[in-house]
Amino acid sequence: MTKLQTILTATSAMCCVTAAHATELEVTHWWTSGGEAAAVSELAKAFDGKTEHTWKDGAIAGSGNTARPVMISRITGGDPMAATQFNHGRQAEELVEAGLMRDLTEIAEAEGWKDIVNPPSLLDACTLDGKIYCAPVNIHSWQWLWLSDAAYKTAGVPVPTNWSEFVAAAPALTEAGLVPLAMGQQGWQQKGAFDVMMIALLPSDVYLKVYDEKDAEAAAGPDVAKIFQAADQARAMAANSNVQDWNQATNMLITGKAGGQIMGDWAQGEFAVAGQVAGKDYHCLPGLGEKNVLTTGGDAFYFPVLDDADKTAAQGELAALMLSPEVQVAFNLKKGSLPVRGDVDLSAANDCMKKGLEVLNNAETLPGGDQLITQDTTRQIEDLMVEFFADTSLTAEAAQERFAEIIADAE
């Protein structure tokens, strides 16, 4: 019996039927930029081509902050989709605890996920009370500084190789009429950049004390004060970055209007769609070029409990397919992320993906913030960062004091 047959047998047994008929599965996600759409199409193409079923795309425009409340409302309101994207971590924890998400343990065991998912923390983030509730599909890391070769050529300065050089080059870009740092005016982007600076510019134990141990004293201490000073520099460099969405900020680099962007590795998808080549048209610095470190967050799919036997069986096929070697390669090459499988061929990876693989395999990795703090705490920090980047009268010292108060109340 093949693994897929084993999965079908298991899912059929659970829903009291003997076989799955062709059906349509609605899959919701927030992947709507050019690069993201190209990546998700690989998942849909594989599902439509390798099973008897059909992928119904349920893309929700906007960021995860826009999409997640819609997804949660549908699930809790009795109108669940067949599968939905969340980030690795605690975003779906309450839905799982309420019994609204399907237990994938039998599928995971049949497919040997514990043997192939690397790092194991990704599968751990899908696990609650010993049961697996999601299928991790990629490793996304935030710790990247993307750099536009065209912008630095216009400014007449070399492409920076670390954060210190990036800050030092900012006046030359400003004088040339360019924006030193492209950043969308949304809290999740600003908090993401803040967290990147904390990880890249400080010893890693500070980040873990703040977000894992919820140490308010560390959050109020001199190390984190340095990061608020760096964030103050960042908001000055991003003062004329008048865009909202992250991919609009990436496009400022692609068009040579901005020097750099702190953004996760999903930015690579936008460069790829624009036909730009890593190492030639743009450069990338993991850990801001200061430290070889990446967080191992990313995306996973959860499968709400359904009362339709055929759709339930088809869910099992989709979950298994998402972690198959060929789908892992095709999807992640388009997405700019790294595969969750450590046994796939990535010889077609570009220079930046190879840098990420090198860090993943030989340097330091840390859990992403979504794996350590609740969504409520995340939103509070995002709201603080929106205010900080918009209002220069809010000093770094005052912002740090409020940050420490948030951490003190965090769960």
Side-chain angles (χ1 to χ4, degrees):
M1 179 179 288
T2 66
K3 288 182 178 179
L4 186 56
Q5 287 172 327
T6 301
I7 292 166
L8 288 174
T9 300
T11 53
S12 297
M14 284 191 291
C15 55
C16 305
V17 297
T18 57
H21 300 95
T23 188
E24 181 180 75
L25 293 189
E26 181 190 9
V27 184
T28 56
H29 58 87
W30 56 81
W31 291 326
T32 56
S33 75
E36 291 172 327
V40 77
S41 70
E42 294 292 338
L43 298 179
K45 183 169 61 176
F47 187 62
D48 291 349
K50 296 180 181 296
T51 75
E52 297 180 349
H53 314 299
T54 303
W55 174 293
K56 179 182 178 182
D57 201 68
I60 300 173
S63 67
N65 285 355
T66 301
R68 277 188 295 270
V70 176
M71 296 166 175
I72 293 169
S73 177
R74 283 191 52 185
I75 295 167
T76 57
D79 181 29
M81 63 296 291
T84 189
Q85 171 200 7
F86 284 105
N87 297 122
H88 297 313
R90 302 178 64 177
Q91 293 177 354
E93 190 173 77
E94 292 182 359
L95 296 173
V96 171
E97 291 173 340
L100 297 173
M101 289 301 191
R102 179 176 168 183
D103 178 0
L104 302 177
T105 305
E106 288 188 56
I107 296 168
E109 290 176 348
E111 286 291 288
W113 287 359
K114 287 187 178 179
D115 297 324
I116 61 175
V117 173
N118 179 48
S121 60
L122 299 178
L123 200 58
D124 292 342
C126 289
T127 304
L128 188 66
D129 296 331
K131 296 180 180 180
I132 297 170
Y133 288 93
C134 67
V137 294
N138 62 10
I139 303 169
H140 266 318
S141 53
W142 253 102
Q143 285 66 47
W144 295 89
L145 177 60
W146 306 95
L147 300 162
S148 167
D149 282 38
Y152 286 97
K153 183 177 180 180
T154 299
V157 292
V159 176
T161 63
N162 56 46
W163 176 255
S164 298
E165 292 179 6
F166 177 74
V167 174
L173 272 79
T174 301
E175 188 175 342
L178 306 177
V179 175
L181 178 63
M183 183 179 291
Q185 298 174 29
Q186 295 171 337
W188 72 270
Q189 297 181 59
Q190 295 155 342
K191 176 188 177 293
F194 175 82
D195 290 350
V196 168
M197 289 185 281
M198 187 187 301
I199 289 172
L201 303 179
L202 294 176
S204 299
D205 67 323
V206 178
Y207 166 79
L208 293 173
K209 282 181 181 179
V210 171
Y211 283 129
D212 191 17
E213 299 175 25
K214 319 299 188 293
D215 187 331
E217 185 176 345
D223 285 326
V224 175
K226 296 175 185 176
I227 304 309
F228 273 93
Q229 292 298 327
D232 189 32
Q233 291 178 313
R235 71 174 169 182
M237 290 187 289
N240 294 315
S241 179
N242 298 316
V243 296
Q244 288 292 320
D245 297 329
W246 69 268
N247 53 309
Q248 293 175 322
T250 306
N251 189 62
M252 293 176 68
L253 273 66
I254 292 170
T255 56
K257 296 177 182 178
Q261 178 188 20
I262 301 173
M263 185 51 58
D265 50 15
W266 50 90
Q268 288 194 85
E270 302 306 298
F271 289 111
V273 167
Q276 296 211 330
V277 177
K280 176 184 176 183
D281 300 306
Y282 67 97
H283 280 72
C284 54
L285 302 178
L288 303 183
E290 299 287 349
K291 186 168 69 172
N292 277 333
V293 60
L294 295 176
T295 51
T296 52
D299 301 293
F301 278 86
Y302 287 77
F303 297 81
V305 173
L306 303 177
D307 58 9
D308 184 306
D310 290 326
K311 290 185 185 296
T312 298
Q315 283 178 323
E317 293 184 64
L318 177 57
L321 191 66
M322 284 178 165
L323 272 79
S324 65
E326 61 273 20
V327 171
Q328 279 284 294
V329 171
F331 171 75
N332 284 294
L333 285 178
K334 292 286 180 67
K335 191 70 167 61
S337 48
L338 301 177
V340 299
R341 296 185 65 125
D343 60 350
V344 296
D345 179 14
L346 280 177
S347 56
N350 66 28
D351 285 355
C352 290
M353 287 188 71
K354 289 176 180 176
K355 285 185 179 182
L357 286 168
E358 178 68 20
V359 175
L360 181 65
N361 293 328
N362 300 299
E364 183 180 16
T365 60
L366 295 167
D370 288 326
Q371 296 168 260
L372 302 176
I373 59 176
T374 65
Q375 280 299 288
D376 179 62
T377 300
T378 296
R379 282 192 293 270
Q380 291 180 57
I381 299 172
E382 288 175 355
D383 289 344
L384 172 61
M385 291 301 156
V386 167
E387 184 178 350
F388 179 73
F389 275 85
D391 182 5
T392 56
S393 70
L394 177 57
T395 65
E397 293 76 14
Q400 183 183 5
E401 183 177 343
R402 288 171 53 182
F403 176 72
E405 292 171 354
I406 293 170
I407 295 301
D409 291 335
E411 298 179 358

